[in-house]
Amino acid sequence: LVVLGAVVFRKPNSGALSISGDEHSLTQEEDPCEDIYETICEDAQWPLRDPTGRVRRDIDAEIEVLRMFEELLLENPEWTREEAYKELVRVVYSRSRVQKLRTAFERTRNEMLRFIREQPASVFNAHEKKVLSTTLNKVRLDLPPPAEVYADEPDLYTKNGVFFQRMQSGKLRIRVGGAFLFAVSSWFNLVFTFAHELAHSIDPCELREARHALPAIDRLSACLQTSGVVALTKNRNECGSHDHLSEAFSDWIGVQITARVLERYATEFDAQQLRKAVQNSVRDLCEQREDFRDEDLTYHPSPQIRIERIFGTHPTVRRLLGCTAPSSSTPRQCGFDWTPGLE
């Protein structure tokens, strides 16, 4: 019996996967990293399930929660919208769902703190580690109930968004839309999502705003830009509109943390379970053609860039998927140790 976060599952009796040495995770005729976007997003059937949970299409979860809200209004015509929201919050943000989110949030933050502590002095010195750790520890997960917690953004109860905010008071918070609780239960997707949002508190633009200069993060930022992950368009305003730097950085951090979690539990899954766990980590980044909404690329790189150039270049991800050894044409993953000429 294996406990993974708030999820309990039984280890398969056979077919468990070894990730040691040079062994490949999956035996396939074709290299699954030949087209990493296709590998992650290939399964057209939603939702996709791994041993810890599932990932649904955003629009399916939003429709479900919106219908719940509409039914509350129809069944209780004497209620105000505020009263209906209060009941919706009670149902959607149930004790078990909220507890799972809080557990995932805290464990993800702890993993990020370990990741920072483990960096050599050539990456972060003691002062820089303290700056990053102190900032991460200031972030609060802002969740209902009560319904009044999101009184300033009631539409969030039926939306799938998860986002980081720095308030004028200096407080740092992460909010989670109600539909997200119905869209995602996979532990690995929760880890990636929270690592991404927590990373925004220490992204290059937030650090600039706080007047902190960390050379290692500047090097990583330079790599993301020179490698083409961050689009250098004519209308780009650094740390403003049409700038992908903050989102690309947060994706990069999210992948580092998720890869550590995937590797830790990889031997508990058989090959197909592991493949689905890797897919579900960033499954919601796939282009969801059926939801009839254009991708907003104002602040985010395209889904293909996020999956192929950020997620798909991580050595652990490639190894767990059973990819062949990197070739000269394989994009190099950016890192804190980047120097010009090595991209």
Side-chain angles (χ1 to χ4, degrees), residues 135 138-142 148-153 156 163-175 200-201 206 209-210:
T135 302
K138 288 180 179 178
V139 182
R140 296 291 174 260
L141 184 58
D142 194 26
E148 289 74 17
V149 172
Y150 291 174
D152 58 331
E153 295 182 282
L156 192 54
F163 53 90
F164 165 84
Q165 292 178 314
R166 177 186 291 275
M167 309 305 292
Q168 289 185 343
S169 64
K171 293 182 178 180
L172 309 178
R173 70 186 185 190
I174 291 174
R175 286 186 159 184
H200 275 305
S201 69
E206 284 293 316
E209 182 71 18

Side-chain angles (χ1 to χ4, degrees), residues 56-97:
R56 300 172 66 193
R57 291 192 314 162
D58 296 348
I59 193 65
D60 292 339
E62 290 183 352
I63 289 174
E64 180 179 358
V65 177
L66 185 59
R67 284 176 176 167
M68 291 169 61
F69 180 64
E70 292 173 344
E71 288 173 3
L72 285 172
L73 290 174
L74 289 173
E75 294 170 1
N76 304 277
E78 73 282 5
W79 281 6
T80 64
R81 292 183 72 84
E82 288 71 23
E83 290 173 320
Y85 278 134
K86 185 175 182 179
E87 178 61 17
L88 182 70
V89 164
R90 187 189 68 80
V91 175
V92 171
Y93 293 87
S94 66
R95 180 176 299 180
S96 61
R97 293 192 187 103

Side-chain angles (χ1 to χ4, degrees), residues 15-28:
L17 185 64
S18 171
I19 61 171
S20 60
D22 295 324
E23 295 179 356
H24 291 318
S25 305
L26 299 171
T27 301
Q28 296 185 342

Side-chain angles (χ1 to χ4, degrees), residues 35-46:
D35 185 342
I36 189 69
Y37 181 84
E38 180 65 21
T39 296
I40 298 300
C41 304
E42 64 182 353
D43 190 346
Q45 183 177 0
W46 294 78

Side-chain angles (χ1 to χ4, degrees), residues 115 220 223-224 227 229 251-257 259 308-318 326 330-339 342-343:
F115 174 71
L220 173 59
C223 180
L224 292 171
S227 65
V229 171
D251 276 351
W252 187 90
I253 293 289
V255 173
Q256 310 311 304
I257 305 307
E308 292 176 0
R309 299 295 302 280
I310 304 177
F311 184 74
T313 57
H314 194 286
T316 299
V317 169
R318 296 180 64 85
T330 302
R332 177 177 179 267
Q333 190 191 48
C334 288
F336 293 130
D337 58 349
W338 178 86
T339 56
L342 293 180
E343 66 274 14

